[in-house]
Amino acid sequence: MSIQATKLRVLIGKHVVLSGENLVANMGEMTALVGPSGSGKTTLLNCLGLLLKPTDGQIYLDGQEAAAWPDRRRLKFWQKKAAFIYQDYGLISDESVAYNTTLKAGSLFRNRPYTDDRLTEILEVVGLSGRAKDAASVLSGGEKQRVGIARALYKEASYIFADEPTASLDAENREIITGLLRKAAGRGACVLIATHDERLASEADHVHTLAS
Ligand SMILES: Nc1ncnc2c1ncn2[C@@H]1O[C@H](COP(=O)(O)OP(=O)(O)O)[C@@H](O)[C@H]1O
Ligand SMILES: [Mg+2]
């Protein structure tokens, strides 16, 4: 089980964004995609998460060639296997931390008892105990990123794609997020991170460098 990309090329107009990337990312490991701004980290991450179809090249997911999967197959991958931790993507700000983590309509706002032991455990792991009922909109940047990770853990996502997950966080929150991503890999996930945070990259099992 892994993601393997061979000779990935992405052309946007006439601009060569990726010019033949080869990469293997294993389950249980954290792989960092690093390189200067504009070097194609996000583009590569988007290809590996099947959000963007490469111009050329192959992406093997669990051994299956996935780059040309039709929408239905990609949707299944996103629903069942993948979690995305993207800065401006995914959290519904009017909804509670509980909803944003589980994506299940709970009864938190209807005076019925609500228990979800896994949710409680995972919120504890990410340091958001007692915040289940809070709206996502009241959370700090670091807390929002932690909800993204909580969602990935709750879902037991096999693949976690994170784009600059520590950007604009203070040192303490950077450390927390780094530790949580490591923990997700420790639970067996294949964790892929686009980052220019050297501390985060230094915690990765593999570093894939993109040239500018
Ligand atoms: N949709 C797009 N249209 C035009 N250019 C794009 C698009 N997406 C990315 N690029 C260009 O591709 C290059 C790589 O972008 P990106 O993958 O975001 O790099 P990074 O994440 O390393 O900063 C940049 O030069 C960027 O301007
Ligand atoms: Mg980027």
Side-chain angles (χ1 to χ4, degrees), residues 50-115:
L50 308 185
L51 296 170
L52 177 71
K53 286 189 186 177
T55 311
D56 284 304
Q58 291 80 42
I59 298 167
Y60 296 94
L61 277 170
D62 303 342
Q64 294 180 51
E65 217 288 293
W69 273 351
D71 289 351
R72 257 201 7 231
R73 188 72 189 77
R74 290 191 296 147
L75 195 62
K76 199 170 144 204
F77 170 72
W78 296 327
Q79 285 170 340
K80 306 253 181 236
K81 299 236 167 152
F84 294 89
I85 301 165
Y86 277 36
Q87 210 106 71
D88 47 6
Y89 166 93
L91 289 200
I92 304 164
S93 49
D94 293 342
E95 292 284 359
S96 65
V97 167
Y99 179 83
N100 274 291
T101 302
T102 63
L103 301 179
K104 286 183 208 156
S107 50
L108 282 173
F109 292 114
R110 294 175 213 149
N111 297 318
R112 278 198 277 138
Y114 179 93
T115 49

Side-chain angles (χ1 to χ4, degrees), residues 41-42 163-164 194:
K41 301 182 293 296
T42 298
D163 194 10
E164 304 287 0

Side-chain angles (χ1 to χ4, degrees), residues 36-43 45 163-164 194-196:
S37 178
S39 59
K41 301 182 293 296
T42 298
T43 304
L45 193 71
D163 194 10
E164 304 287 0
T195 187
H196 61 258

